[in-house]
Amino acid sequence: FPADNVWNAPVDALPVDPNSNAYVTTIGATRNVHADFGSGEWPPGSGSPIGIPFVIAPSSQALVSINYQAYGDESDPGPFPIPSNAPIEGGANSDGDRHVLVVRQGECKLYELYRAFPNANGSWNADSGAVYTLTVNGPLRPAGWTSADAAGLPILPGLVRYDEVASGEINHALRFTAPQTRRAYIWPARHYASSLTGSQYPPMGQRFRLKASFVIDNRFSPETQVILRALKKYGLILADNGSAWYISGAPDPRWDNGVLHELDMVTGDDFEAIDESSLMVDPDSGQAIQGFNLNIDPIVRSIDPGGSTTYRLVFPTSGGFNGSITVTSSSPSPSVTLDLSAIVVTPSINVTLTLTDTHPIGPLIPGVYYSILITATSSSLIRTASIGLLVGGWRSYLPIVLKY
C-alpha cells in the first residue's frame, strides 16, 4: 500500500484508548504473545506450513473462475489469477481457514481467498474473496462486507515476512487474533464476527501497540528486536477471532523457530490499545493523515532590559510524516533581536528561538510585552503558534495561604 496508508502509519505517539485496560484484560493480560509463523511444518509431517503463505504469480498467470460457497454477496467476483498449485494455509488437507494469497506481477493487485479449495479444471471454490489494488488507499470494502479475513481487511499487508526482519526493519502494522471480539468494527475494518456486545470486548480493527516502557535489550536476538520495535512503532491490528495475541506471519524455511519463541516473554499486559481515529482522512479510505504539529516550550518568558532568553520548538508528527519543515518568524520590535538555530529542519530536529532585548540595562517601568508569531510550513501544511516576551516591568508575587 502507499506510504500514507493506515497500515504504514506509526502510532507510537497516538493517545491510549479509554477502554485499553478492559480490552487487554479480555484478551488476556497474562497470556503470552505467540509467533503464529515459522519454518517447517506443524505437526511434523503434516504438510502444514507454519503461517499464512502467499505466492507471487507471473503477469502471464491465467485468470480462473472463483465459485463462492458462503459469502458471495460480500465478495469480489472472479476470475482471479490463482495458480492451481497456490499454497494453502494449513496445507492441502487442512480443514481450517485455508487462506490463499496471490499477488500478480505487473498489476500490483492482491487476491485473497478464504476456505479455498482447488478444482480439477483449474477453478477454485471459496467461502469468500477480495481484491486489493496496492497502489491506492481506497476505496475500502463496502461497509459491513467481509473479505478473506473476518475484519474485512487484507491479510498480506499485516504479515511478518522474513525478508523484512532480515533487512532490519518492519514498517507496517501486524495482524493478530483474539479469542473474543465485539459485534462492532472500527476504521479501517469493515466487518465484525461476533454476537458479543459488551464494551470490554475489542472491536475488529482495534489497534494496539507495545508500551514505550517495554525494554528491548539483549534478552532478545536481533531478529526478535526488529519485531518488537515494529510492535512499538506500528503496533497490531485485530483482524480475526482466534488464539490470544497470536501474531500472523508468512512461513519461510529461514525462520529460526527457537528465536521466534523469544516473543513468548511478552505478555498482554505489555500492550495498550490506542485511538487512531485522528489519522482518518475519509471513512471509506485507508489513507492516514500525514502531518505535524508545532509545540513551543515555554509559551511566555520575562527578562530584564538587555537580557536574553530562549524557546524550544518541537514538531511531533502523525501518519508517518517525514517531510522538511520551514520555520519563519520576525522580530516584534527594533528593540528585540530574534534568532532561529535552524530554518529548514526535519521533524526530529528541535529548533531554538532566541530573543535578545537591546534596551539599556536598568529599570524599565512600565514593562513592554511582545507577542511573536511563529509559522512552520511543509508543502500545503501550515502550523502557527504565538509566544510572549515581557521585558522589564514590575513582577507581583501573591502569597499562598495553606489552611490545615
Side-chain angles (χ1 to χ4, degrees), residues 12-281:
D12 47 343
L14 293 184
V16 175
D17 190 290
N19 281 343
S20 178
N21 289 339
Y23 292 161
V24 169
T25 299
T26 296
I27 298 173
T30 61
R31 299 289 295 273
N32 303 98
V33 168
H34 177 71
D36 198 19
F37 55 94
S39 62
E41 301 174 349
W42 188 261
S46 65
S48 175
I50 306 174
I52 303 177
F54 67 95
V55 65
I56 307 297
S59 58
S60 59
Q61 177 62 49
L63 297 171
V64 299
S65 297
I66 307 297
N67 309 307
Y68 291 116
Q69 308 296 303
Y71 308 105
D73 58 338
E74 297 179 15
S75 296
D76 292 322
F80 287 5
I82 309 291
S84 59
N85 63 346
I88 301 170
E89 180 190 11
N93 299 319
S94 169
D95 192 36
D97 287 350
R98 296 181 62 92
H99 289 117
V100 169
L101 316 182
V102 177
V103 176
R104 185 162 71 162
Q105 292 176 326
E107 63 176 357
C108 211
K109 283 189 176 182
L110 169 64
Y111 300 82
E112 299 188 339
L113 296 176
Y114 166 65
R115 284 195 56 79
F117 295 83
N119 296 313
N121 64 358
S123 66
W124 287 75
N125 292 345
D127 279 8
S128 61
V131 181
Y132 300 91
T133 300
L134 298 176
T135 55
V136 298
N137 286 314
L140 300 178
R141 300 186 65 68
W145 274 34
T146 188
S147 59
D149 217 354
L153 293 168
I155 297 172
L156 180 60
L159 298 183
V160 182
R161 303 190 294 277
Y162 181 85
D163 288 334
E164 293 178 304
V165 173
S167 75
E169 182 181 13
I170 298 172
N171 56 10
H172 59 83
L174 305 180
R175 175 189 187 268
F176 88 109
T177 61
Q180 295 175 306
T181 58
R182 197 192 315 167
R183 185 182 172 85
Y185 59 87
I186 60 174
W187 180 81
R190 307 299 273 175
H191 186 260
Y192 57 74
S194 174
S195 60
L196 301 171
T197 58
S199 61
Q200 73 271 33
Y201 301 107
M204 287 295 184
Q206 180 64 54
R207 198 146 175 179
F208 294 77
R209 69 179 171 221
L210 191 62
K211 293 177 179 177
S213 59
F214 185 87
V215 178
I216 303 174
D217 55 20
N218 59 12
R219 293 176 298 163
F220 303 101
S221 65
E223 295 84 0
T224 304
Q225 290 184 29
V226 172
I227 298 174
L228 294 174
R229 288 196 299 270
L231 292 176
K232 280 192 175 186
K233 186 173 183 178
Y234 298 99
L236 298 163
I237 297 180
L238 180 55
D240 198 0
N241 298 307
S243 298
W245 307 113
Y246 268 45
I247 298 176
S248 301
D252 195 295
R254 296 170 291 178
W255 287 123
D256 184 324
N257 292 342
V259 167
L260 292 176
H261 273 295
E262 294 173 358
L263 289 172
D264 297 351
M265 289 188 276
V266 186
T267 66
D269 198 42
D270 294 317
F271 290 92
E272 58 193 2
I274 59 168
D275 179 0
E276 67 176 357
S277 60
S278 63
L279 299 181
M280 184 173 64
V281 176

Side-chain angles (χ1 to χ4, degrees), residues 150 156 211 227 285 310 344 378:
L156 180 60
K211 293 177 179 177
I227 298 174
S285 170
T310 60
V344 179
S378 180

